[in-house]
Amino acid sequence: MTIATPRPNQDLIRPDKDKFLSEENPFEAMMSRFDYAAQRLSLDPGLYKVLRSPEKQIIVSVPILRDNGETDVYVGYRVLYNTSRGPAKGGIRFDLNVTLDEVKALAAWMTWKCAVVNIPFGGSKGGVVCDPSTMSNPELERVTRRYTSAIIETLGPDSDVPAPDMNTNERVMAWIMDTYSMHKRHTVTAVVTGKPVEMGGSLGRREATGRGCMLVTRQALNRLRMPVHGSRVAVQGFGNVGSVSAMLMEQQGMKILAVSDKSGGIYNSKGLKIKEVIQHVRQHRFLSGYGEAEQITNDQLLTLDCDVLVPAALENVITSHNAADIKARIICEGANGPTTAGADKILEENGVFVIPDILANAGGVTVSYFEWVQDRGGYFWDEETVNQRLERIMVQSFDEVAGMAGRHGINMRIGAYMQAIERVAAVHRLRGMYA
Ligand code: GLU
């Protein structure tokens, strides 16, 4: 079995720490949009209270033996935000900056994301506060297995289904699946998605988030009557989402002017050759040192003169400090929460068309849903079928959100929240309140 080694922190582009801390915390950022969308929907006060509260928050200790014989204890979280529409669904991240507030926000975003693309899942998220770039593979495996066993009561194909997120990958999913299955005494493939294809993963899952970004960007270009061919793109982050988005956009004839990672950015006004860039990163781990380009900083990348900007790395990179300098006409949010609420206002005033995260990066969880369906049915689809079905869902969801935005005279982000809240609220009303 060939599984790529994790590339810890590859797309970690933490902006200047003070700036990051002075703007909103992620849960507040999510809530401020939720509140506005709920108000526009005239959501009834009872449901408003229910949907503002995470259903379950789990905090665990994750002790592991380091290779040098010492013991380290990490903190792990798993938050199930809402499960009214189906099993909780959402990734697990390994990162030093993980906090409970961040995991809560990400779990809420998963709830809205699954509802925006209308797949039958609720939302969850997990994280372990650790620095995987300083850990060996056996240490990573021990953290993964111990964390899995600590949260095992919540996990299951009908209750809570993890997937990869920042600094976790197929191999980590394989360990989760194995740990869960050993406890259950039989193999349960549908307990995680984003697994290796050899053990019940779906074809097309690895590329799905980037493919989704490409599909909604194409829709946005068409809607704004801008040509796809030749449109100029800048991509921040060169992990799974950024690199695949760049590659698929290049295949559509778009010109990828710049990409960046933790080591900085590279720029070529004639367009980068993304296959070569990916090859470079495979060999050298980071973008730095790539030949046929000028070096730029991550901040410069965000404010480049281009048509499409794809922030595909971290939260809170587009803030009230730099939003006014953004020259792109379209922002496609490959990352979760890259834009603060303060920045939204400025972008809207400047006529920037933002494809919000809960729509733009929903391709990943959509193919996770396909993977879960295939595991449960025991029947696997070819890649063309996966990609066709993904395209249908992404295009339809984009059009639904644009329709909602148009009808209410609001931007795409609030349109997406309204679409999502309406769907989740509808199920709550039908199910009633169990007392
Ligand atoms: N971590 C990804 C996200 O934030 C995928 C989640 C999933 O497939 O469950 O959307």
Side-chain angles (χ1 to χ4, degrees):
M1 191 190 296
T2 49
I3 305 171
T5 18
R7 294 183 183 282
N9 289 347
Q10 176 165 332
D11 48 5
L12 219 157
I13 303 157
R14 183 67 67 199
D16 141 14
K17 200 90 177 164
D18 290 341
K19 230 170 21 181
F20 179 73
L21 291 175
S22 64
E23 202 122 352
E24 299 144 280
N25 104 4
F27 194 68
E28 296 302 319
M30 187 283 297
M31 267 308 157
S32 67
R33 276 81 167 237
F34 169 83
D35 281 352
Y36 183 61
Q39 188 194 326
R40 295 291 303 233
L41 281 170
S42 308
L43 189 68
D44 75 74
L47 258 181
Y48 172 75
K49 277 193 230 164
V50 172
L51 296 185
R52 276 182 70 95
S53 323
E55 272 176 28
K56 193 186 276 187
Q57 304 176 55
I58 304 168
I59 306 177
V60 294
S61 281
V62 185
I64 69 145
L65 211 52
R66 299 298 300 249
D67 293 342
N68 64 8
E70 281 172 20
T71 297
D72 267 348
V73 183
Y74 303 112
V75 178
Y77 304 105
R78 185 77 183 164
V79 173
L80 275 60
Y81 192 82
N82 186 288
T83 58
S84 56
R85 288 169 45 85
K89 189 81 194 77
I92 291 173
R93 55 174 59 182
F94 289 170
D95 190 72
L96 268 186
N97 296 298
V98 166
T99 62
L100 180 60
D101 259 357
E102 183 195 47
V103 177
K104 267 162 58 180
L106 289 160
W109 276 322
M110 285 309 303
T111 306
W112 313 135
K113 195 185 298 188
C114 291
V116 165
V117 287
N118 212 2
I119 57 177
F121 286 138
S124 57
K125 203 77 168 197
V128 179
V129 188
C130 65
D131 180 1
S133 69
T134 63
M135 289 156 76
S136 69
N137 275 323
E139 287 172 340
L140 271 179
E141 178 171 354
R142 290 198 284 276
V143 167
T144 305
R145 289 188 185 275
R146 186 62 192 246
Y147 169 71
T148 304
S149 78
I151 60 163
I152 205 148
E153 284 92 2
T154 172
L155 300 180
D158 290 314
S159 50
D160 184 19
V161 186
D165 200 79
M166 194 183 287
N167 299 330
T168 58
N169 61 9
E170 293 180 1
R171 170 149 52 185
V172 174
M173 297 308 113
W175 291 327
I176 295 175
M177 182 277 219
D178 183 67
T179 307
Y180 182 84
S181 298
M182 295 313 284
H183 278 257
K184 294 290 158 192
R185 319 303 295 166
H186 64 272
T187 294
V188 187
T189 52
V191 68
V192 281
T193 60
K195 299 178 290 295
V197 170
E198 298 90 326
M199 53 181 281
S202 177
L203 292 169
R205 173 64 186 84
R206 199 181 302 162
E207 296 80 19
T209 311
R211 181 172 293 277
C213 288
M214 177 276 284
L215 291 166
V216 292
T217 299
R218 216 172 55 184
Q219 285 299 103
L221 286 164
N222 289 338
R223 194 177 174 83
L224 299 175
R225 300 191 198 298
M226 292 163 72
V228 174
H229 202 273
S231 66
R232 301 157 309 147
V233 184
V235 181
Q236 188 192 46
F238 210 65
N240 177 256
V241 182
S243 64
V244 175
S245 299
M247 194 177 69
L248 295 178
M249 287 182 186
E250 187 188 33
Q251 280 171 16
Q252 295 291 312
M254 300 165 80
K255 195 153 87 175
I256 315 302
L257 291 186
V259 298
S260 68
D261 66 11
K262 192 189 175 189
S263 71
I266 54 173
Y267 169 82
N268 186 329
S269 60
K270 294 203 206 80
L272 296 160
K273 295 190 182 107
I274 296 302
K275 269 214 172 109
E276 283 177 17
V277 179
I278 291 175
Q279 200 51 39
H280 174 89
V281 171
R282 246 180 227 142
Q283 276 164 10
H284 307 278
R285 210 169 138 198
F286 293 112
L287 290 167
S288 61
Y290 178 76
E292 284 163 59
E294 288 167 45
Q295 304 291 314
I296 54 170
T297 65
N298 265 291
D299 283 344
Q300 282 171 322
L301 180 137
L302 291 173
T303 56
L304 264 188
D305 184 12
C306 62
D307 301 304
V308 179
L309 173 65
V310 186
L314 282 178
E315 285 118 72
N316 292 2
V317 291
I318 303 174
T319 67
S320 54
H321 301 270
N322 62 2
D325 301 325
I326 284 183
K327 297 179 194 71
R329 176 77 174 88
I330 295 172
I331 295 179
C332 171
E333 296 186 333
N336 290 311
T339 310
T340 67
D344 268 353
K345 222 177 273 161
I346 300 168
L347 295 172
E348 189 167 7
E349 278 163 19
N350 291 347
V352 182
F353 186 89
V354 178
I355 314 170
D357 46 8
I358 56 174
L359 169 65
N361 69 39
V365 74
T366 300
V367 177
S368 277
Y369 165 54
F370 296 162
E371 181 173 330
W372 179 83
V373 168
Q374 292 170 78
D375 287 341
R376 293 174 67 121
Y379 178 74
F380 290 85
W381 315 345
D382 58 34
E383 194 164 351
E384 204 186 322
T385 305
V386 170
N387 289 345
Q388 273 169 2
R389 290 179 176 174
L390 172 64
E391 178 162 350
R392 204 181 308 149
I393 289 184
M394 293 308 294
V395 168
Q396 185 176 332
S397 306
F398 179 96
D399 291 346
E400 283 170 354
V401 169
M404 178 72 94
R407 278 195 303 283
H408 291 266
I410 46 167
N411 63 34
M412 289 286 282
R413 187 180 318 278
I414 301 302
Y417 271 78
M418 284 173 71
Q419 178 74 265
I421 294 168
E422 202 168 75
R423 286 189 175 140
V424 178
V427 173
H428 274 270
R429 282 191 205 101
L430 287 166
R431 289 180 61 160
M433 181 122 40
Y434 178 72

